[in-house]
Amino acid sequence: DQQVKQNSPSLSVQEGRISILNCDYTNSMFDYFLWYKKYPAEGPTFLISISSIKDKNEDGRFTVFLNKSAKHLSLHIVPSQPGDSAVYFCAATETGGGADGLTFGKGTHLIIQP
Amino acid sequence: DVKVTQSSRYLVKRTGEKVFLECVQDMDHENMFWYRQDPGLGLRLIYFSYDVKMKEKGDIPEGYSVSREKKERFSLILESASTNQTSMYLCASSTTAANYGYTFGSGTRLTVV
């Protein structure tokens, strides 16, 4: 049973426009959510996170929105740049749930076109 | 600069070989993890450890074992490599105080022929 779902395997966006990556979760115990970015042949790197006590967190060009009632979060990138082309993983955890930490989605490959 | 170091970036092994993937972290993190990444399947947890000599099975432990003799080192062992274990292997670590803050290594691309 997939607890974190990224239903779009890939997304193509024109440079300068907004990229919106979506993520859904099924486990109501999840209370902390993260986005990781991964380039080919490199490990994932942390991008941005949000606690369930918030509905929005912003860091520069990146904003994450959380809709708890819908069990849905999204990552907005504005404006999109060529260096944003990567695979983005959504992850979730139940804080205090022990060492087995993060549950990842399957990832969305974002392609920024010039 | 804190980091998680995986000993090899690329490995090619033969079917049936015993394979060791090594991971070392210098952040004094309690928790360490091994994932594999495959196209369309995302990151799948193989094994994790929350303390020295402790290990827990993840979602796909079959065909793998692990060893954690020292806090900074977490080894993944493929007892008898098979072609379906060809994958990108990623090691990560975290501290219990902020368990969600994973730091990943650069990955090992393993090809079993």
Side-chain angles (χ1 to χ4, degrees):
Chain A
D1 179 31
Q2 201 180 343
Q3 298 187 73
V4 177
K5 300 178 183 179
Q6 294 176 257
N7 291 320
S8 299
S10 66
L11 176 67
S12 184
V13 175
Q14 213 162 13
E15 183 179 355
R17 306 292 289 269
I18 183 171
S19 295
I20 301 175
L21 292 86
N22 293 304
C23 178
D24 298 294
Y25 61 96
T26 57
N27 187 340
S28 59
M29 298 301 291
F30 287 151
D31 59 0
Y32 198 84
F33 305 88
L34 307 90
W35 286 93
Y36 281 81
K37 176 181 181 180
K38 186 182 184 299
Y39 293 119
E42 294 184 14
T45 55
F46 170 75
L47 189 59
I48 193 169
S49 63
I50 188 167
S51 166
S52 61
I53 62 174
K54 294 185 174 182
D55 54 17
K56 177 183 174 181
N57 189 27
E58 191 171 354
D59 183 3
R61 297 186 297 114
F62 302 91
T63 303
V64 56
F65 295 91
L66 175 62
N67 182 334
K68 288 186 291 294
S69 60
K71 293 191 177 68
H72 176 82
L73 64 154
S74 60
L75 174 68
H76 293 211
I77 306 173
V78 183
S80 300
Q81 298 175 353
D84 296 331
S85 294
V87 177
Y88 290 79
F89 291 99
C90 174
T93 189
E94 176 189 348
T95 55
D100 55 326
L102 297 179
T103 300
F104 287 88
K106 292 185 177 181
T108 296
H109 185 193
L110 177 64
I111 302 161
I112 305 301
Q113 295 185 334
Chain B
D1 188 23
V2 295
K3 62 174 54 177
V4 175
T5 302
Q6 294 183 231
S7 53
S8 303
R9 292 299 300 269
Y10 301 95
L11 274 178
V12 180
K13 296 292 182 180
R14 295 192 180 276
T15 301
E17 275 193 77
K18 191 168 186 177
V19 181
F20 293 86
L21 302 183
E22 305 288 346
C23 176
V24 177
Q25 51 95 3
D26 64 0
M27 297 165 283
D28 201 35
H29 282 174
E30 298 87 359
N31 310 315
M32 297 188 74
F33 308 83
W34 276 106
Y35 286 86
R36 61 179 283 178
Q37 184 200 1
D38 301 288
L41 297 177
L43 298 172
R44 293 182 292 167
L45 181 63
I46 304 170
Y47 267 98
F48 64 97
S49 168
Y50 52 87
D51 202 352
V52 176
K53 296 191 184 296
M54 305 301 288
K55 59 185 179 183
E56 296 287 342
K57 293 180 179 179
D59 299 319
I60 51 164
E62 295 78 18
Y64 303 94
S65 62
V66 290
S67 172
R68 193 162 181 207
E69 295 297 317
K70 294 184 178 181
K71 188 176 186 180
E72 67 270 20
R73 185 179 297 270
F74 192 35
S75 303
L76 180 69
I77 304 154
L78 286 65
E79 297 290 343
S80 176
S82 64
T83 54
N84 64 12
Q85 292 179 309
T86 292
S87 185
M88 167 71 88
Y89 289 88
L90 293 161
C91 176
S93 71
S94 72
T95 179
T96 301
N99 189 41
Y100 31 86
Y102 281 25
T103 301
F104 280 90
S106 296
T108 297
R109 169 68 66 183
L110 173 67
T111 302
V112 182
V113 297

